[in-house]
Amino acid sequence: MPSTRRTARNAAPARRVVLLHGIWMVGATMQWLGTRLRAAGFAAETFGYHSIVGGPDEAVPQLAELLRGGGETDIVAHSLGGLVALQALAAEPGLPVRRVVCLGVPLCGSSAASNLSRWPLAALWLGRSAELLQNGCMAWPRGPEVGMIAGSLPHGLGGLLARFEGDNDGSVSVEETRSPQLADHVVVEASHSGLLFSAAAIAQAAGFLREGRFRHPDRT
């Protein structure tokens, strides 16, 4: 009787996953997350961009070019990176993207960024990404499944600027991460930057990449 076990030679190739960092970060910030996703069987690579001096006007077409030439791809994006990814999908609906996992992405716009922008000198910290952070991105073309992992550990300076009333990750509130167009939404106990290192967040991201949904302990 022939064996049904797959050998390394005929095993399906690892699925390509592009990682995007948030504002004030660099590609190396995603190293831990990329290592964990590769250990889970994904071919993770990082897309680095200049979040302050370049902003979305530069990053969106560069990301679209990267996605356009690599076959079907998934995306895992943190904070501003998620807005850049969704802007790329909106600008070019035919991009070969299957699923997008957003980590603490302010889809409704960041109140912390809006408050920071009221101070001329402080607004320089947001650079050319200020407008996108303030406005968010509530709609994108149908096709790619988009899931959101929000954090509920309020450790960060954003709380001083926004004075969140509900659950938040210290920079973005849980409510700012919601959109009716999301395929799924889950909250984990992690701060904004901690979402990149949280075992729970990484496990949820890997699960969504595989199945298009998160694991909700409160659901049967």
Side-chain angles (χ1 to χ4, degrees):
M1 181 176 180
S3 173
T4 58
R5 299 176 62 182
R6 307 182 92 179
T7 66
R9 179 175 297 179
N10 62 15
R15 187 164 192 86
R16 184 192 191 206
V17 180
V18 173
L19 311 179
L20 278 76
H21 59 80
I23 195 168
W24 307 320
M25 296 181 177
V26 296
T29 311
M30 309 300 285
Q31 182 174 353
W32 176 264
L33 175 60
T35 299
R36 301 280 77 75
L37 288 177
R38 283 189 285 273
F42 299 96
E45 62 184 83
T46 298
F47 170 76
Y49 63 100
H50 299 293
S51 61
I52 304 300
V53 299
D57 288 345
E58 179 182 286
V60 166
Q62 291 177 350
L63 176 61
E65 182 179 3
L66 175 68
L67 295 172
R68 199 182 302 126
E72 192 175 55
T73 303
D74 294 332
I75 294 174
V76 177
H78 180 243
S79 195
L80 172 66
L83 298 177
V84 169
L86 295 177
Q87 287 281 292
L89 295 179
E92 195 169 328
L95 289 172
V97 175
R98 181 189 65 158
R99 289 176 181 147
V100 180
V101 176
C102 292
L103 303 170
V105 177
L107 297 178
C108 305
S110 167
S111 54
S114 294
N115 288 343
L116 186 62
S117 294
R118 295 174 185 174
W119 302 88
L121 292 179
L124 296 176
W125 296 351
L126 302 178
R128 295 183 175 179
S129 295
E131 184 177 355
L132 182 56
L133 281 170
Q134 292 175 65
N135 295 332
C137 183
M138 288 290 288
W140 48 88
R142 292 185 178 181
E145 297 175 309
V146 181
M148 176 68 70
I149 303 174
S152 63
L153 197 60
H155 292 173
L157 297 177
L160 299 177
L161 296 169
R163 296 182 180 179
F164 302 119
E165 295 183 1
D167 290 339
N168 65 90
D169 63 12
S171 295
V172 175
S173 73
V174 171
E175 286 306 309
E176 289 173 341
T177 67
R178 296 191 185 278
S179 167
Q181 200 167 329
L182 288 170
D184 205 352
H185 185 287
V186 70
V187 179
V188 300
E189 189 176 354
S191 66
H192 192 63
S193 59
L195 287 167
L196 297 175
F197 307 96
S198 162
I202 295 172
Q204 290 282 15
F208 188 89
L209 292 176
R210 294 190 185 100
E211 303 174 8
R213 58 186 176 85
F214 297 120
R215 295 182 180 179
H216 299 267
D218 57 335
R219 296 182 188 176
T220 57

